[in-house]
Amino acid sequence: MWNLNGFYLWVDPGPGALVRALENTPSIAPAGVDALYLSHNHLDHTCDANVVIEAMTNGGDNKRGSLLAPADALGNEPAVSSYTRAFVNSVETLGVGKSFSLASNVSLHTPLAHHHGVETYGYRIHLPNIKVAHIVDTLWMDSLCDAYAGVDVLIINTTLLDARLNVLHLSIKDAERLIVTIRPRIAFLTHLGKKMLEADPMKLAKQLTEKTGVTTIAAQDGMLFDLSQI
């Protein structure tokens, strides 16, 4: 969840996302969410999309907000039903090189398609004094470094401890390469797989900080981070 100068963007609500948001401290009020972003049509990223939109709009009684998603998350096997889509003010289709105005002086950009088996897009968010990026699920591509260059905050879906053939996710070594090349002011590791968790993500993040010189943090459930801290 992003709070972008008062504009609330919810990214990839997987299983139990709504319940966890309500149980969070402080709790996240779905009725205050302005837009929902789906990076790709896999259940661990979209399972609660329909219920989040229901909660955002009071079951459709208060039509509001936006949905941003790839075309194949809205097609023959949609992540969001046509019934629920009618509850938001706009449905925006993600694509390579597209830009979206979220609020005054806040824009979102999808620079390239990721390699993840289905149509998948990471994103950049540009605010007046800061640029952030989220590299979502993907196999390593050299083009990632250029697509997300120049950001202050870099979030990396780091699922694998070691790269595995035909597993379309980034590893800790891939994360290191991205951090070294892009050199953000701060980096976060998230979407951690089982072996990453077993290896102690805090320790791994500390090691990356020491290797790269870039402060790297392993995300935890319920973590809050104030962008003004960087």
Side-chain angles (χ1 to χ4, degrees), residues 60-82:
D61 288 344
N62 301 324
K63 185 171 181 175
R64 56 180 298 279
S66 302
L67 168 66
L68 296 88
D72 76 351
L74 304 171
N76 293 332
E77 297 180 349
V80 181
S81 70
S82 57

Side-chain angles (χ1 to χ4, degrees), residues 13-60:
L18 181 59
V19 172
R20 286 181 177 272
L22 295 172
E23 291 178 343
N24 195 60
T25 303
S27 64
I28 297 169
V33 174
D34 298 293
L36 179 64
Y37 182 97
L38 305 181
S39 65
H40 63 287
N41 193 13
H42 283 168
L43 277 177
D44 58 331
H45 294 258
T46 65
C47 188
D48 264 16
N50 287 284
V51 295
V52 165
I53 291 176
E54 290 250 9
M56 283 171 55
T57 62
N58 191 29

Side-chain angles (χ1 to χ4, degrees), residues 83-107:
Y83 169 78
T84 312
R85 270 179 262 169
F87 295 170
V88 296
N89 283 330
S90 65
V91 178
E92 306 288 352
T93 304
L94 303 178
V96 175
K98 283 195 171 183
S99 297
F100 306 89
S101 177
L102 300 182
S104 178
N105 295 320
V106 181
S107 58

Side-chain angles (χ1 to χ4, degrees), residues 115-142:
H115 185 355
H116 193 54
V118 295
E119 191 178 2
T120 304
Y121 299 98
Y123 58 91
R124 302 172 58 113
I125 296 172
H126 294 184
L127 296 100
N129 298 313
I130 193 169
K131 294 179 181 179
V132 303
H134 184 181
I135 299 178
V136 301
D137 296 355
T138 186
L139 189 67
W140 173 265
M141 301 184 295
D142 290 342

